[in-house]
Amino acid sequence: HQAAEQIVFWKWLGPRMLALVGEKDIYHWNLETASSTPEKIFQRSGKLAEAGTQVISYAANSQLSWCLLTAISTQDQGRTIDGNMQLYSVEKKQQQMLEGHAGGFGNVLTADSEPPSGLFAFMERKVGSLQTKLHIMDVTKPRGEGLPTPFRAQVDVAMPPEAPSDFAVALHFCEKQGLVFMITKAGFLLAFDVSSATMLVRTRVSQDTIFISTGSQESGGGVFSQ
């Protein structure tokens, strides 16, 4: 297949589903179907459409109904790194622009009497601020008058004292244990309980900068590269 534009980032969303991020648009390519071609899902917009912005992550929930594009940029020659995210609803064809460096999706139990919730989590870090906040919310439960309020939790996150300007580079759900893991650029691992957003662990797992990481659905853990 000859792409209509330059592909700047790609990621497997499943065994036969490939996500392609172009300079302008995002595509999903279902390789399960013979002679298939990439399908345009949405267009990059806001800060993520500007030149000089580097895409570092792409994610989608298990139903492929919600997508998240994450990119970084700098306004001061690299002294500070700004993070921007584009959250997109495929069904509603609506988007929300967020400030932060990492986010992800997972299906986790938030109440004993209900099936797993379709959750979205992201680490918010506004431009010009060092304050970090974890947001966890159910994005799949119906909303409306008379319906139960969907699950939502948030908490301020303290960066390690030895790295106060450190920031998240990846967020992974551990669906088996009801946890969300945060990996930072400076090599710290933070674990949070999903149901309360409480931090359970903060420890350094690498002395080197973390560039790439991925979660494991089988073990509930993760792998990262430095």
Side-chain angles (χ1 to χ4, degrees), residues 31-183:
L31 299 173
E32 197 72 50
T33 304
S35 304
S36 64
T37 57
E39 175 190 3
K40 177 182 173 181
I41 304 300
F42 65 100
Q43 184 176 7
R44 295 172 62 170
S45 64
K47 191 72 177 178
L48 290 96
E50 295 181 6
T53 299
Q54 179 186 353
V55 174
I56 61 170
S57 177
Y58 182 76
N61 67 345
S62 57
Q63 297 87 10
L64 300 181
S65 58
W66 286 88
C67 308
L68 181 72
L69 181 66
T70 306
I72 56 174
S73 59
T74 182
Q75 302 180 45
D76 53 15
Q77 289 74 51
R79 288 192 295 273
T80 58
I81 304 297
D82 301 328
N84 290 276
M85 294 181 279
Q86 184 176 354
L87 178 65
Y88 184 80
S89 168
V90 177
E91 296 174 349
K92 297 180 180 179
K93 300 188 185 307
Q94 295 177 347
Q95 66 184 17
Q96 182 177 357
M97 308 307 293
L98 306 169
E99 290 183 276
H101 301 81
F105 301 93
N107 301 305
V108 180
L109 282 172
T110 56
D112 294 336
S113 58
E114 298 180 5
S117 301
L119 302 180
F120 165 63
F122 75 100
M123 284 289 178
E124 181 183 46
R125 171 77 70 84
K126 294 187 179 298
V127 175
S129 171
L130 293 180
Q131 182 180 13
T132 301
K133 180 175 289 187
L134 170 64
H135 297 266
I136 308 173
M137 64 197 75
D138 188 332
V139 292
T140 59
K141 182 171 288 187
R143 287 165 167 75
E145 187 176 350
L147 296 176
T149 302
F151 172 81
R152 189 183 186 100
Q154 63 183 44
V155 66
D156 289 328
V157 179
M159 287 292 110
E162 59 268 48
S165 61
D166 196 13
F167 59 86
V169 293
L171 209 64
H172 302 292
F173 277 94
C174 172
E175 298 181 346
K176 287 184 177 181
Q177 306 298 332
L179 303 174
V180 61
F181 293 114
M182 165 185 163
I183 307 293

